[in-house]
Amino acid sequence: MRILIVSDTHGYHRNLDRALESAGAVDMFIHLGDVEGGEEYINAVVTCEKHIVRGNNDFFSELPKEDEFYIGAKKVFITHGHTYCVSLDPQQVKEEGRARNADIVMFGHTHRPYLEQDPDITVLNPGSLSFPRQEGRKGSYMIMELKEDQAEYQQCYLK
């Protein structure tokens, strides 16, 4: 199973289109918030299973604040992360994931890629497609591949 994970597009679809094209065929699409009205566009261009949560800039959105679901046997907890103070430290969202018995926690908000893999939990942030804040300032996303319940993660950057 191949999953495209993005965050913080802020209503700018050009870089989302580039990430979709670069990623190729995917079985699932995850957006970790701050779509800023891009839900309709995403629903029109992404035809696979989708999970999208609301971010701190999605003021009038009816998207859920958080979501829990399974990818194969892996329990996933997704949130934008701002209510867990992820800009300071991802520890609080990691502990929330553990409390929910999640195997994988995904968040956005910081506009910086992040991947931490502990024996019992993986915590990740794909960064921002539209307003990256990491060194080099390239829009970023993540590809997750699940093979026989083994997850592999690839951090990707727009060219």
Side-chain angles (χ1 to χ4, degrees), residues 102-106 115-124 151 153:
D103 300 296
I104 304 167
V105 175
M106 301 181 187
L115 177 62
E116 178 183 356
Q117 294 179 279
D118 290 348
D120 65 327
I121 196 165
T122 297
V123 181
L124 66 87
Y153 304 90

Side-chain angles (χ1 to χ4, degrees), residues 127-145:
S128 172
L129 277 174
S130 299
F131 299 108
R133 294 181 182 152
Q134 77 279 3
E135 188 174 328
R137 306 252 186 215
K138 288 186 178 181
S140 62
Y141 59 96
M142 200 172 278
I143 299 288
M144 174 184 164
E145 291 199 53

Side-chain angles (χ1 to χ4, degrees), residues 13 17-18 39 50 52-53 55-56 69 73 91 96 101 105 130 135 138 140 144 149 159:
H13 306 309
D17 290 341
R18 291 171 61 201
E39 300 95 323
K50 293 176 270 304
I52 307 171
V53 292
N56 61 301
F69 54 93
Q91 190 63 33
E96 181 65 23
N101 295 313
V105 175
S130 299
E135 188 174 328
K138 288 186 178 181
S140 62
M144 174 184 164
D149 288 336
K159 297 176 184 178

